[in-house]
Structure formats: C-alpha cells, structure tokens
Amino acid sequence: MTVIAFRPRPTTGKPRPTDDDATAITGSFRSPRGRTGTMSGHLRLQRLVVVPRGAFVTGVFTGELREFDGTLVGVDSRRCTVPADLRRSDDGLQAVIRPLHLDLMGIDVDVGAFAVSPVLPFPASPRRTDPRRRHIVGGLRSIHPR
C-alpha cells in the first residue's frame, strides 16, 4: 500500500507562516460589518512569463482578512495570474505587480502595486568554450595553409 505524507495544516485562526521566497502583500476590503477591513498576506511566486502582450506573474496569493477592530474574518488562498511590469534595477529586472482585485472568501480585496522580492538577473552572455575556430565552406571543412 502506498502512503503519501502531507504537511500538517495550520491551526485554525493562525496564518500560515511565510516562506523565504514569498513576497509580503497588503490590501483593504469592505468588511461584512460595513467598515473597511485589512488583508495581510503573501504571494508565493510560481512563474514569470514574458509574452508579446506583456509580462504576467502566476502564483498563490494567501491572505488573512481582519475587521477594522482586529477581529479575524478568515484566511484564504487563491492561485491566479496577474499582469506585471518589468522594472530595470542595478541587479537585473524586477517584476512589479499592477494593482489588482483579489477574490478571497468571496470578498473583493483591493491590493495595491507591489514589487516581487527576487530580482531576476540578466543571463550571462554565451561564451564559446573552444578557442579554436573551424571554418566551413560549402559543407566541407576548409584547410588553411601555414
């Protein structure tokens, strides 16, 4: 019999601890009591895709929703793909997520723009490992006289 071990789930009422590779996010929402609530959470980045239409980030958004007085509304997570802008920095390119509306627990959360933690460095230029050059002429290797 095959047994699959799962990580234990977080206890009720406590937010899931953030990973080192997660980016902290904050937002606001209209609480069920009618006032403004706050959301604090993180984004676990799964993928950054650059296509002709622009850059997009896919990841898992996890947030803890609290009322204006600090009462816990709930904790939820959602996997989604959002548009991003690439900003040049000294170390490389950094993805900046545009402002978005995130649906957590059926509540629309407004999340402002934020930068994703890891900076994506430019890849090093390809270098030739073999210093000898071979010339090919007409499909045959040419021989250079000395």
Side-chain angles (χ1 to χ4, degrees):
M1 177 167 107
T2 304
V3 177
I4 301 171
F6 293 103
R7 288 186 286 187
R9 293 182 179 236
T11 58
T12 308
K14 292 185 180 178
R16 181 172 177 240
T18 60
D19 300 328
D20 292 338
D21 59 345
T23 301
I25 59 172
T26 58
S28 62
F29 63 95
R30 179 102 175 159
S31 74
R33 293 189 197 172
R35 295 196 178 173
T36 302
T38 59
M39 185 272 300
S40 60
H42 62 275
L43 164 67
R44 285 189 331 229
L45 182 67
Q46 292 178 335
R47 180 177 305 169
L48 171 67
V49 179
V50 180
V51 293
R53 294 181 311 178
F56 295 90
V57 167
T58 299
V60 177
F61 291 84
T62 302
E64 179 180 84
L65 303 166
R66 293 199 173 265
E67 295 273 354
F68 64 95
D69 61 356
T71 306
L72 180 67
V73 175
V75 178
D76 194 14
S77 61
R78 173 136 346 237
R79 181 177 184 264
C80 56
T81 301
V82 295
D85 295 319
L86 296 178
R87 181 174 54 190
R88 188 179 301 267
S89 68
D90 294 337
D91 298 332
L93 291 177
Q94 185 175 31
V96 178
I97 308 299
R98 298 177 188 167
L100 62 113
H101 297 284
L102 184 62
D103 180 18
L104 294 176
M105 298 178 48
I107 299 173
D108 191 33
V109 180
D110 295 322
V111 179
F114 63 94
V116 176
S117 295
V119 174
L120 304 170
F122 288 115
S125 62
R127 293 191 178 163
R128 188 178 175 122
T129 57
D130 185 11
R132 295 177 292 163
R133 301 179 110 181
R134 293 184 182 160
H135 302 284
I136 298 178
V137 178
L140 300 174
R141 198 178 304 166
S142 64
I143 301 171
H144 296 286
R146 290 186 187 191

